[in-house]
Amino acid sequence: MDRKTRTRKATAIAAACAAGVLLAAGCSSSSGGKKAQTAANNISAGKATTARIKIAMITHAAPGDTFWDLIRKGAQAAAAKDNINLVYSSDPNAANQANLVQNAIDQKVDGIAITLAKPDAMKAAVAKAEAAGIPVVGFNAGLSAWKSQKLLEYFGQDEDIAGQAFGTKLNSIGAKSALCVVQEQGNVALETRCAGLKKTFKGKVQNLYVNGTDMPSVKSTITAKLRQDSSIDEIVTLGGPFALTAVQSVSDANSKAKVATFDLNQDVVKAIQAGTVQFAVDQQPYLQGYLAVDSLWLYKFNGNFSGGSAQPVLTGPAFVTKDNVATIAKFAANGTR
Amino acid sequence: MATAHTEAPAVGGPPSPTAPAAQDGRTAQRSLLRRLLGRPEIGALIAAIGVYAFFFAVAPSFRQADSLATVLYQASTMGIMALPVALLMIGGEFDLSAGVAVTTSALTAAMLSFQLTTNVWVGVIVALIVSLAVGALNGYMLVKTGLPSFLITLASFLMLQGLNLAVTKLLTGNVATDDISNMDGFNQAKKVFASEIDFGGVSLKITVLWWLVFAALATWVLLRTKFGNWIFAVGGHSESARAVGVPVKFTKIILFMTVGFGAWFVGMHLLFSFNTVQSGEGVGNEFLYIIAAVIGGCLLTGGYGSAIGSVIGAFIFGMVTQGIVYANWNPDWFKFFLGVMLLVATLVNLWVRRQATRR
């Protein structure tokens, strides 16, 4: 077969495949899908007329995480309002995150919003930024280190306090034995939540480590634990997607356990409405991202310090229960809660 | 050819010219035992029995039939992918993109169905085409460039990881897909990919059944077909294989496409089991598939191994992962225990193989 014939044949096959897909696309779904989804309302609050500035937001987020996506959306909303060129970058590796700070310094940005998940590893890079005259604010992680590293402000949740509040809530609903599901072993914020829970919860608390990047494995590991210990009556997950998986595990193990979670997403909101998830502790990630960027604009153009540069601005813990979920549902549908 | 690669070398030297033609019972028996021990999966099987017995003894809840079903589910989601990965390793290659390829497949089906508001089966079929195409591209790049599969698939791993995130964000505005559970065709697809079957009063995930079906098919291909011979040949020594007329390039491309098929199937399970997919999932799972294949007796150098071995390897991994939980060991030490148990299983496998080849 000569090249021309081969090319013609390949083109014909490709065309047939494309036609097949288009034809199949005609098999439209009578329910659900994009057509049924209401368009999300973009949050808009006018636009600043101040000079355009460049702000770098540097986080320890792993790619593809719904929680961090909300933080970024909040940051983008503030940037759009404040006439800011937002440069977002992230790396879960502390050394790489420090390099990203250096990158921002090299770009001569007007401000840096940073997460301090591993404060010691970031200390030198933050000091360099401050020495270069770049204002730095912290958010989400680093509550214990923001003042010692001379950050202007801090926006986030005290994970220990959030854990304690969670424990108190579990006491009030009569839970006796809780399982704290940690999706990333060694993550300080996650471990602190479970530690805070242990401080106030009067019952028994056990930690369970799962591989957060493998949902079937998460499901079977929680199921195994529920079978191993039938006294568990409350599963505490540390992220929205894991709560929904835990609900399936409860069913698989024929367990009496209830599920509650830290952090929120659209599907968790629906689950709270349906009663399959009891409640969620929301640290309002959208607000964290928004305030971090907005505060740098306020500092640059009006010399403002949120929290007077002495106290952190706590964005959580806010409890979302069946009683108040309706007010949040519409915002969750917009992808901002 | 398959026999030459899977059986152990002959035990003992050539027979003495004066030796009687007939062997006594003990010699024949030993020879049979040696041959049996020479099978790639036997070491893994012995290790699996040991691991099972160990957890059976130390973890009371491990003894329940329900618990075995949970272990099998954990093993099946890894094992379905470990099968094509094992075949590929026998063929002398690696695929480091296998973990994220599962997520790519699930994302493709979910987003295509949702964004075009089609019957979910449209997404399922397109995802299959995409998965096979990714596998074919990996294979084509390998045979065309002559670069090691480690590098080719490392590049595709990074590209797929980036695409998973970027395309999901571009199309949905989020980093996870929308819930497709209320769309046409969802329930039928769930029956195929993510349902449960009642097996003697125990609820067994359908992935376990599919896993065993695929294992039987892979074993048949490997040991009873010409293509199986080709796999061993290209893994053992591709130049020699080419010299005797084995279509090396074709074989390798098909093996990569088989991994693509596995990624599609597990991706569909992921989607129809959880209704929505996080775009960051799957990273690191490629190593688990390779681990399962290696525990099951595949050599990293290629040309040796079995499909059944990868099944046993995945089962060992499932038993250890869940057994540690059933045994209620200190969770801080989970990864350490996991590593120790897997190392012990692999060492048992190695010891058995050495016993078989000892002269």
Side-chain angles (χ1 to χ4, degrees), chain B residues 94-97 100 134 137-138 141 147-163:
Chain B
F94 289 103
D95 190 347
L96 296 183
S97 69
V100 287
V134 168
L137 185 65
N138 277 339
M141 290 292 287
L147 286 168
S149 55
F150 186 90
L151 291 176
I152 295 285
T153 61
L154 180 62
S156 54
F157 158 74
L158 293 168
M159 287 191 290
L160 288 177
Q161 194 184 356
L163 281 171

Side-chain angles (χ1 to χ4, degrees), chain B residues 6 39-46 48 75 79-80 82-87 90 211-223 232 291-298 304-316 349:
Chain B
T6 55
R39 295 289 311 158
E41 65 274 6
I42 287 298
L45 182 61
I46 292 167
I80 289 171
L83 275 166
V85 166
L87 295 184
I90 295 167
W211 178 37
L212 299 176
V213 168
F214 292 147
L217 187 65
T219 302
W220 176 76
V221 167
L222 209 52
L223 301 179
F232 281 110
I291 287 166
V294 171
I295 292 172
C298 287
Y304 186 89
S306 76
I308 291 295
S310 79
V311 171
I312 298 166
F315 183 55
I316 289 173
N349 195 343

Side-chain angles (χ1 to χ4, degrees), chain A residues 27 29 31 34 73 225 227, chain B residues 70 114 117 119 174 182 328:
Chain A
C27 314
S29 176
S31 59
K34 186 77 172 173
K73 280 180 179 174
K225 186 64 188 175
R227 289 219 176 99
Chain B
T70 303
F114 190 88
T117 318
N119 187 298
N174 298 305
N182 62 343
N328 200 24

Side-chain angles (χ1 to χ4, degrees), chain A residues 1-11, chain B residues 140 144:
Chain A
M1 197 190 296
D2 68 345
R3 178 170 278 185
K4 235 179 221 173
T5 318
R6 267 209 311 270
T7 309
R8 247 187 246 125
K9 195 173 180 183
T11 310
Chain B
Y140 178 77
K144 206 74 182 163

